[in-house]
Amino acid sequence: EAGVAQSPRYKIIEKRQSVAFWCNPISGHATLYWYQQILGQGPKLLIQFQNNGVVDDSQLPKDRFSAERLKGVDSTLKIQPAKLEDSAVYLCASSRLLNTEAFFGQGTRLTVV
Amino acid sequence: EDQVTQSPEALRLQEGESSSLNCSYTVSGLRGLFWYRQDPGKGPEFLFTLYSAGEEKEKERLKATLTKKESFLHITAPKPEDSATYLCAVQAGSGGGADGLTFGKGTHLIIQP
């Protein structure tokens, strides 16, 4: 079974630029999550999708972050404009059913300079 | 607000020296407590889910236990390949289909040969 795929693996941008991350979850997984992991911290949930609908985006900074999940499969997370404090690893995860374990991708490491 | 505190922040052991990692939590209605392992540059890898106080789960040299306020990850006779950051997370019964995890900062474990 293929795992959660994310791209790119690394991205360096200047502050105020925009950036987008892509995620392809495990086949058949209805639930998709985006987490932000700052160096030395645990992952922090940004947004949860169930199929193509948003279930929880209470911790998403909506003035600069946006996310969508097309046709209930792939998802894109966008930051516009980026700030220095957005430097982090952005992790995508998926789970087959609600309240079951989530499987994580390798993440995208974003550096904002 | 759900909170997860892990201790110690870092732990260095000799190969074969058993120990325990602690995860204390406060959550409004625990739905599940999760343990993940994270290697440098990778996403978290699922280890265990515990659902109720008194529950225990084992996998190779690892055993996770759960009480009403904390969880322990016991490592028996560890090997160098057990070196990683171990993350604890809680899933709250917030309803509405939201089941994202609240993570602790992790325990960075180093096993020396």
Side-chain angles (χ1 to χ4, degrees):
Chain A
E1 177 176 74
V4 176
Q6 291 189 247
S7 68
R9 284 298 315 276
Y10 306 93
K11 191 74 176 179
I12 301 174
I13 62 171
E14 295 183 349
K15 60 183 178 183
R16 292 188 291 274
Q17 285 187 326
S18 63
V19 65
F21 313 126
W22 173 83
C23 172
N24 181 240
I26 294 172
S27 177
H29 282 200
T31 309
L32 185 147
Y33 314 82
W34 283 101
Y35 287 84
Q36 179 193 57
Q37 186 172 25
I38 293 173
L39 187 64
Q41 306 286 318
K44 172 189 170 185
L45 179 70
L46 293 176
I47 190 168
Q48 176 189 347
F49 291 94
Q50 181 69 16
N51 296 308
N52 61 350
V54 175
V55 176
D56 183 3
D57 63 357
S58 58
Q59 300 188 88
L60 186 74
K62 299 179 185 65
D63 58 334
R64 297 184 301 105
F65 286 64
S66 65
E68 61 180 2
R69 188 178 185 194
L70 304 174
K71 299 180 181 178
V73 182
D74 293 4
S75 179
T76 302
L77 177 69
K78 296 180 181 178
I79 308 175
Q80 182 179 13
K83 293 184 175 182
L84 296 177
E85 57 261 38
D86 297 332
S87 294
V89 175
Y90 290 85
L91 295 162
C92 180
S94 69
S95 63
R96 188 169 62 87
L97 300 171
L98 285 176
N99 304 319
T100 60
E101 65 270 20
F103 296 89
F104 285 80
Q106 294 205 59
T108 296
R109 180 177 296 278
L110 174 67
T111 302
V112 183
V113 298
Chain B
E1 182 182 335
D2 303 333
Q3 286 193 328
V4 177
T5 302
Q6 292 189 245
S7 61
E9 290 186 7
L11 181 62
R12 188 183 297 265
L13 300 172
Q14 292 296 123
E15 182 173 1
E17 181 184 1
S18 301
S19 188
S20 296
L21 312 182
N22 177 262
C23 170
S24 62
Y25 62 90
T26 55
V27 62
S28 54
L30 180 70
R31 186 170 288 171
L33 185 138
F34 295 74
W35 282 98
Y36 283 83
R37 167 191 172 130
Q38 187 171 30
D39 292 299
K42 296 192 175 182
E45 175 188 346
F46 171 75
L47 293 174
F48 304 108
T49 310
L50 302 168
Y51 294 102
S52 58
E55 188 175 0
E56 298 183 353
K57 288 193 177 173
E58 287 189 64
K59 179 181 180 180
E60 296 180 353
R61 296 176 292 281
L62 300 176
K63 183 169 82 172
T65 62
L66 181 65
T67 72
K68 288 187 178 180
K69 293 185 177 181
E70 57 191 351
S71 176
F72 292 93
L73 184 65
H74 307 278
I75 303 177
T76 302
K79 298 182 178 182
E81 54 262 41
D82 295 322
S83 298
T85 295
Y86 289 85
L87 295 165
C88 173
V90 295
Q91 186 179 67
S94 54
D99 67 349
L101 301 177
T102 299
F103 281 86
K105 292 183 178 181
T107 293
H108 182 50
L109 177 66
I110 298 173
I111 308 299
Q112 294 180 308

